[in-house]
Amino acid sequence: MKPYEGYMLDLDGTVYRGKEPIPEAIAFIHQLKEAGLPYLFITNNSSATPEEVSLKLQAFNVPAEPAQIWTTALAAAAYVKAGPAPHTAYIIGETGLLQAMEEAGVEYTEENPAYVVMGIDRSITYEKLAKAALAVRNGAAFISTNSDKALPTERGFLPGNGALTSVVQTATGQDPVFIGKPEQVIIEQALYILGTPLEKTVLIGDNYDTDILAGIRTGMDTIHVQTGITSLEEIEQKPVLPSYSIQSMADWTLMKNSGEKSSKK
Ligand SMILES: [Mg+2]
């Protein structure tokens, strides 16, 4: 265990499971806050606004301000804004993505957009997909918030944004730039926001194929928590291991920069 200076945390499977909080993770986040260590929640979900995510977390007694939430909606908006002008986009997505784009100064248009941005849209229609495909064929840069194929819900696994994106991908023969985990884009932005050095920042998540891989690709340390998608048995089969794999955050002792233990279990 190292005295990390900045912490990135995944949400579902790490801080809560659907509607159930994970108490060990929540206790750990309180320790981070009390120690004054910066932390940021990173989610591939683009449908909710940071305000909505922070309210959900606060309902679980997690100390989380909207500024501590980094969604793929915010990340995609920042990516487009940092790209070549004009910052005009045809956008498929829900409130989180539409609001993030508007706040970043990306103008929504269906006429000759410079970008097509796709995020989860549970009101997807053939017409929306048609407009996206036509714009991509017309030369628009193709961006997708995340490649998650399926979404865990109470009903079972439903089509995720990766599945929706694949329709436009297949129809145009163009691959999108994906922004969310396991890509580095969102993690590099998060490092910039945290303001802590790569080697002193750690990423905590339950899913090897998104969270842990994103950290490994970015070159940072990772903590796999066995409270969600990937089991310890599955981790042991992977060619590149996370820095740590623990049952829950109760197994993690927070250390100060001096290396002194700041809490005892
Ligand atoms: Mg997760």
Side-chain angles (χ1 to χ4, degrees), residues 75-93 97-98 101 104-119 128-145 168 174-179:
Y79 182 86
V80 169
K81 198 60 188 166
H87 300 115
T88 58
Y90 176 61
I91 304 160
I92 294 178
L97 186 58
L98 297 171
M101 288 289 166
V106 177
E107 187 194 334
Y108 177 92
T109 181
E110 297 183 1
E111 302 299 319
N112 279 320
Y115 297 84
V116 165
V117 183
M118 287 189 73
K128 290 180 184 178
L129 294 166
K131 282 181 180 141
L134 288 168
V136 169
R137 280 192 179 270
N138 207 25
F142 185 18
I143 315 291
S144 177
T145 56
V168 176
Q174 296 281 320
D175 292 333
V177 171
F178 287 111
I179 302 295

Side-chain angles (χ1 to χ4, degrees), residues 8-18 20-22 25 29 40-45 48-50 52-54 56-57 60 62 64 68-71 181 203-207 211 225 227-228:
M8 296 182 195
L9 295 113
D10 170 56
L11 289 177
D12 209 348
T14 300
V15 177
Y16 54 76
R17 267 183 300 261
E20 294 295 316
I22 300 176
I29 298 160
L40 193 64
F41 298 98
I42 301 182
T43 173
N44 271 5
N45 185 352
T49 65
E52 289 167 341
V53 176
S54 85
K56 176 172 182 177
L57 287 171
F60 288 144
V62 176
Q68 291 174 294
I69 318 290
W70 195 241
T71 69
K181 301 172 283 190
L203 188 155
I204 304 166
D206 66 299
N207 187 332
D211 306 315
V225 278
T227 52

Side-chain angles (χ1 to χ4, degrees), residues 19 22 41 51 61 82 91 102 122 151 249 256 262:
K19 292 176 177 149
I22 300 176
F41 298 98
E51 292 77 17
N61 189 30
I91 304 160
E102 192 181 345
R122 285 163 286 189
L151 277 183
M249 288 314 293
K256 288 181 182 167
S262 63

